[in-house]
Amino acid sequence: MLCLKKTFMEDLPSLLGRQVKIAGWVHKVRALGGLVFIILRDCTGLCQVVVKGNPDLVKLARSLNMEDVIEVKGIVQRSRSRQFPVEVVAESISVLNRVIGGVPLDVTGAIEADLGTRLRYRVADLKRPRNLAIFRVQAELVDAFRRYLKERRFIEVHTPKIVVYATEGGAELFEVKYFENIAYLAQSPQIYKQMLVIAGFERVFEIGHAYRAEKHSTVRHLNEYVSLDIEMGFIEDENDLINFEEDLIKYMLQSVEENCSRELKLLGAEVTIPDRIPKLRFPEVKEILVEYYNLKEYEDAEDLDTRGEELITKYVQENYGVDMVFVDLFPLSSRPFYTMPYDEVYGRSFDLIFRGLEVSTGSQRIHQYELLRQMMIKKGLNPDDFKYYLEAFKQGAPPHGGFAIGAERMTMKLLGLCNIREASLFPRDRYRLEP
RNA sequence: GAACCGGUAGUUUAGCCCGGAAGAAUGCGGGACUGUCACUCCCGUGGCCCGGGUUCAAAUCCCGGCCGGGGCGCCA
């Protein structure tokens, strides 16, 4: 009895002349009378199955519909196809499961559905090779992030997503019923990352969800997103973080370029790795907007809006030939309470803007108990609400800081997707809670 | 919270301005076809988001609702 394990499509070219067992989804059937071509898909790609000679087998092959799940045993041979170098000549086919009522979307990509329809039928949509490619690239970004940090003595942690801290900034929180109390979904692992650095972990990172209860409905916001967070102790100031992040980002891009060439080609995306990411300061950026672009309305700006982010990207493209830029020293007024002040007005807080979108934010944090307390009060927060957090700062807090990268935003910008929902498997937005 | 744009077979789309029998592609069902590669050809199946109004007559014009897209505010 044959007991071959499943062979993946991408391995077939190296198995010429061998008998294999392949399995997957029927991507397409091209039936020419007594000769049937089945294009079969698995997670590694497509393959052509040829069925001929055996009338029963031909009949079975002709009865297949798109997305039926089948297993094929046969011999790998060179193909006359223009699309495939090899093909499997079927000796037997077993139908593992049939589609009921047809697939709601065209998986082959010939008919492009609207994003709303695609998200409604997300499972069928994700079958499209293009979508698998998006998430392979995302997985590579995340994996590279993890590899890079682990090699530099960072420890991966998992902090609570159910929290009580009422707020740390302007962002609104989702309320959660927690037995007899009210809790919230964490909008960031910020407070816990810091406490772990203080606890002596020194360098931590976390890949986890963050929740924002903002009623926005745009192509770049999600109410649940994946945050690539790091926090590290014993930094000089935020410049250490910026330089560190610059190398990290370059490594992540390099990894995608090296390990996802097939995906990038399929998506028509190109990765450009800057030699150096320019670093500007907020006052300079403001000056560029006011002087260079002659936009007087930015004279009193305390933060960058969408247009500002797009223009500054345009500026560095034209003047530095790159599509990312660090902007440092944002006004304290637009940053959270834990931001280390640079002077009275500015904070040691920075953004990374990539192709017109903020994909990362970070800062040196305040490590002095009294100053932290003061800043909370200044921001209108009640120190009593942060009792456990504040307490930690009395127990030996080193100078420290960190940053977070939005995984979906990074993926979106890298691949040139026009909607962040495309970079989220099952996006949660203002009006979408399922699937 | 909200300018604006849109909603026609499962999916994509023509028709809407200028009211008069709703057409196509793809899928699905049937048939022909032994090297397709968006296979081809023939037949069939299946649709105007919901409610109200105007009119002899509404997919088409008007109003309301629902759903989708979406720049803004806010936010990362």
Side-chain angles (χ1 to χ4, degrees):
Chain A
M1 187 183 148
L2 279 171
C3 190
L4 309 171
K5 64 178 185 186
K6 179 187 187 293
T7 299
F8 288 97
M9 307 312 183
E10 69 176 356
D11 298 328
L12 290 173
S14 62
L15 295 168
L16 258 180
R18 301 268 295 277
Q19 188 187 39
V20 294
K21 181 171 92 180
I22 56 174
W25 290 263
V26 174
H27 196 65
K28 190 88 196 172
V29 179
R30 288 196 272 266
L32 292 78
L35 173 65
V36 184
F37 298 99
I38 303 167
I39 311 302
L40 198 59
R41 187 186 73 248
D42 74 5
C43 64
T44 67
L46 300 173
C47 147
Q48 173 158 280
V49 174
V50 182
V51 186
K52 59 183 174 184
N54 179 342
D56 289 338
L57 210 54
V58 167
K59 196 177 165 209
L60 176 64
R62 295 184 65 101
S63 79
L64 294 170
N65 280 331
M66 290 169 115
E67 298 309 311
D68 282 343
V69 182
I70 65 169
E71 185 180 281
V72 178
K73 279 177 198 153
I75 306 290
V76 183
Q77 67 168 33
R78 227 176 280 284
S79 176
R80 274 174 269 174
S81 163
R82 293 199 290 273
Q83 197 181 345
F84 304 97
V86 299
E87 64 195 14
V88 173
V89 183
E91 291 171 341
S92 71
I93 297 174
S94 54
V95 178
L96 304 179
N97 210 164
R98 287 201 186 260
V99 164
I100 300 166
V103 182
L105 300 175
D106 173 37
V107 176
T108 66
I111 296 174
E112 184 76 19
D114 298 330
L115 186 59
T117 309
R118 289 175 44 201
L119 294 174
R120 158 69 185 82
Y121 300 110
R122 189 57 160 160
V123 174
D125 183 46
L126 289 172
K127 285 170 175 280
R128 296 159 70 220
R130 185 191 141 78
N131 282 319
L132 184 56
I134 290 173
F135 292 101
R136 277 194 199 281
V137 170
Q138 188 169 80
E140 183 61 35
L141 283 172
V142 171
D143 191 45
F145 176 81
R146 177 181 278 125
R147 285 196 313 265
Y148 187 90
L149 294 168
K150 282 176 77 169
E151 279 165 21
R152 282 159 186 78
R153 295 180 190 273
F154 278 77
I155 174 167
E156 180 163 10
V157 297
H158 304 283
T159 64
K161 299 304 156 216
I162 302 175
V163 301
V164 296
Y165 297 107
T167 181
E168 66 169 60
E172 287 178 54
L173 294 141
F174 287 108
E175 240 178 58
V176 176
K177 207 189 286 178
Y178 195 77
F179 307 112
E180 53 283 333
N181 294 315
I182 302 262
Y184 304 93
L185 292 181
Q187 56 169 257
S188 132
Q190 185 58 35
I191 274 164
Y192 289 96
K193 283 194 301 182
Q194 287 188 261
M195 292 196 285
L196 291 171
V197 169
I198 296 168
F201 285 43
E202 277 194 47
R203 297 178 170 197
V204 298
F205 74 94
E206 175 161 8
I207 297 162
H209 282 111
Y211 301 88
R212 302 286 161 101
E214 300 289 339
K215 291 180 179 176
H216 36 49
S217 173
T218 78
V219 295
R220 58 185 189 283
H221 290 96
L222 292 169
N223 292 293
E224 178 184 57
Y225 69 94
V226 174
S227 185
L228 309 177
D229 261 274
I230 80 134
E231 197 74 19
M232 65 192 295
F234 304 102
I235 57 166
E236 192 97 3
D237 57 32
E238 85 284 10
N239 291 299
D240 284 349
L241 295 165
I242 292 173
N243 292 326
F244 184 79
E245 183 169 11
E246 178 176 6
D247 280 344
L248 167 62
I249 292 283
K250 283 199 269 192
Y251 179 79
M252 288 166 70
L253 295 180
Q254 230 151 39
S255 298
V256 168
E257 191 181 43
E258 280 166 22
N259 303 324
C260 301
S261 51
R262 232 181 11 180
E263 286 76 14
L264 291 171
K265 201 178 154 197
L266 179 64
L267 293 162
E270 218 176 299
V271 176
T272 49
I273 301 159
D275 290 334
R276 193 182 154 274
I277 303 175
K279 299 161 188 79
L280 302 174
R281 293 176 154 198
F282 187 80
E284 289 176 74
V285 170
K286 228 163 72 169
E287 204 177 288
I288 289 163
L289 293 172
V290 173
E291 307 287 329
Y292 190 89
Y293 288 107
N294 200 29
L295 296 165
K296 301 283 178 248
E297 60 267 40
Y298 282 98
E299 258 162 15
D300 301 317
E302 295 189 342
D303 205 349
L304 279 181
D305 57 8
T306 309
R307 189 172 60 150
E309 287 175 356
E310 280 164 9
L311 283 175
I312 201 64
T313 299
K314 193 167 164 247
Y315 179 84
V316 294
Q317 273 169 342
E318 284 166 5
N319 292 277
Y320 298 84
V322 296
D323 48 15
M324 357 178 127
V325 55
F326 281 104
V327 178
D328 190 13
L329 299 189
F330 274 86
L332 285 166
S333 60
S334 65
R335 298 279 139 159
F337 68 85
Y338 49 76
T339 307
M340 178 66 87
Y342 173 80
D343 58 20
E344 286 290 302
V345 180
Y346 297 105
R348 295 190 176 277
S349 178
F350 59 91
D351 278 358
L352 174 63
I353 298 166
F354 179 28
R355 295 179 181 163
L357 182 66
E358 173 195 337
V359 294
S360 173
T361 298
S363 70
Q364 180 180 359
R365 330 293 191 190
I366 296 169
H367 58 280
Q368 302 93 338
Y369 174 82
E370 202 41 55
L371 179 58
L372 190 57
R373 230 180 139 266
Q374 298 288 315
M375 292 304 281
M376 276 181 179
I377 293 163
K378 228 182 203 173
K379 287 274 181 188
L381 301 172
N382 183 357
D384 293 344
D385 291 342
F386 295 85
K387 193 176 137 201
Y388 296 96
Y389 171 69
L390 266 177
E391 198 173 84
F393 287 82
K394 296 182 186 169
Q395 299 166 8
H400 66 283
F403 54 82
I405 302 167
E408 293 88 348
R409 282 190 170 190
M410 190 73 201
T411 309
M412 171 192 182
K413 282 295 151 183
L414 183 63
L415 299 178
L417 308 176
C418 27
N419 195 312
I420 196 166
R421 291 168 182 83
E422 286 207 73
S424 178
L425 288 168
F426 298 100
R428 292 292 171 261
D429 64 30
R430 177 72 181 90
Y431 300 106
R432 195 171 277 107
L433 196 48
E434 50 177 7

